[in-house]
Amino acid sequence: MTAVTVPGANLTVTTTIGLSADGTIAYFQTGPDRAGPVSLVGVSAREGREVWRHKLPAQAQPRGIAFAPSGRQVAVWGGGRNVRVMSVPDGKVVSDITTAVLLDFDVSFSPEGDAIVAHHQRYKLGDAGEAPTPEPGFRADGRCNTVVGQSNIGRVLSRDRGLVVKMTTPGRYARETDFCEAKTVLPLDGPEIAFLSFAPGDRHVAAAYNIAGRSRSDWRTLVEIYDTADRSSSATRVSRIVLDGDVGYRIGWSPDGRQLAVLKVKDSIATAQVYAVP
């Protein structure tokens, strides 16, 4: 649909990307560099120009961002236990949340948009003193080890907890507790390491694989999108995208799940590309 060069971006492999509700603004985190601190940046998906930039807490490291169903709030987090929720595009802090466990990618908004769900616990926005409550449907003993929504550990759980997608590497993930008692397991053929990301609504899942070249500048990335609407143990591949560059974990969805944003880096140039999802 569109491709724009991202100006002055210092990005790590774990930087994730998202889209505004109308698909016109791409959001991502920059890493700390000489030009400035860690920031949340909005870039026009049509023109490539920076629309706004908001400084993030000094301890934040590029890790992940998640958008409320309305698209009017965004949660940002690093590799620790802190989640900051901001309104967009003005950058006003709505809530600062400290979670019970260290965070990786397992952060999302509740369907109502009034709480953050992290590692199967729900944290109410705007009330830091309120204790978290267990997310409905998860085991109370905490033995569910599969993260929700997006993951870099070769398996991921849908947000409705009905489907686990896992890579079919022999000898790994044999314990049933890893699947969080999901009703269905969908195996995908591919390398051991891949980044998996469910679209909002769990209707599609994207898998991003690095294809190594002779040097870093020769790397390519394969992104495959599967239809998972029926939550079955098989899925139809609806799209296959080969990108000339390193994507890593830098993929993200529009709030309605109908567009996929990919941020690739080649020869130190970052390019955001937006695709329509069939």
Side-chain angles (χ1 to χ4, degrees):
M1 294 181 66
T2 185
V4 295
T5 300
V6 177
N10 176 30
L11 306 170
T12 70
V13 69
T14 59
T15 298
T16 50
I17 184 173
L19 283 171
S20 62
D22 60 5
T24 61
I25 304 295
Y27 307 90
F28 58 91
Q29 280 183 269
T30 64
D33 58 22
R34 295 177 182 176
V38 178
S39 300
L40 180 66
V41 179
V43 172
S44 168
R46 295 172 180 169
E47 304 169 5
R49 62 183 178 85
E50 184 176 306
V51 179
W52 50 257
R53 175 183 293 256
H54 300 302
K55 179 180 176 182
L56 297 177
Q59 69 270 23
Q61 293 297 320
R63 174 64 70 179
I65 54 181
F67 296 89
S70 67
R72 295 193 295 268
Q73 293 180 334
V74 60
V76 292
W77 67 93
R81 298 194 298 129
N82 298 317
V83 179
R84 171 161 286 188
V85 180
M86 307 164 64
S87 58
V88 289
D90 58 20
K92 180 181 178 181
V93 177
V94 176
S95 186
D96 277 313
I97 295 169
T98 301
T99 62
V101 297
L102 295 176
L103 299 170
D104 196 358
F105 297 103
D106 191 358
V107 177
S108 62
F109 280 87
S110 64
E112 302 80 13
D114 63 347
I116 289 294
V117 181
H119 199 64
H120 321 314
Q121 296 286 315
R122 184 175 289 216
Y123 298 82
K124 194 77 171 177
L125 295 182
D127 193 348
E130 184 174 331
T133 57
E135 181 68 356
F138 285 106
R139 294 175 55 167
D141 60 14
R143 293 177 64 187
C144 177
N145 298 319
T146 298
V147 296
V148 178
Q150 55 185 7
S151 167
N152 67 335
I153 60 174
R155 63 186 188 274
V156 66
L157 179 65
S158 62
R159 294 177 181 87
D160 66 1
R161 301 167 297 280
L163 178 67
V164 163
V165 176
K166 75 180 186 74
M167 308 313 298
T168 56
T169 304
R172 296 193 67 187
Y173 316 133
R175 295 176 299 162
E176 291 187 4
T177 53
D178 282 341
F179 301 150
C180 306
E181 299 183 339
K183 295 179 180 178
T184 308
V185 177
L186 169 63
L188 294 181
D189 294 327
E192 180 175 339
I193 300 299
F195 186 65
L196 299 166
S197 178
F198 270 105
D202 301 323
R203 296 184 299 271
H204 293 94
V205 68
Y209 315 100
N210 279 329
I211 306 172
R214 293 182 179 180
S215 66
R216 195 76 179 181
S217 63
D218 294 329
W219 277 40
R220 295 182 299 159
T221 301
L222 171 64
V223 179
E224 295 183 323
I225 303 174
Y226 293 86
D227 186 342
T228 53
D230 62 359
R231 308 292 189 275
S232 70
S233 57
S234 63
T236 300
R237 187 177 67 195
V238 297
S239 186
R240 189 174 191 265
I241 306 165
V242 179
L243 296 114
D244 183 20
D246 183 9
V247 170
Y249 310 158
R250 297 182 289 260
I251 62 176
W253 302 86
S254 61
D256 63 6
R258 295 180 179 177
Q259 298 179 50
L260 178 70
V262 178
L263 191 58
K264 71 172 186 177
V265 177
K266 182 175 176 61
D267 298 329
S268 300
I269 298 175
T271 304
Q273 299 181 190
V274 181
Y275 298 88
V277 178

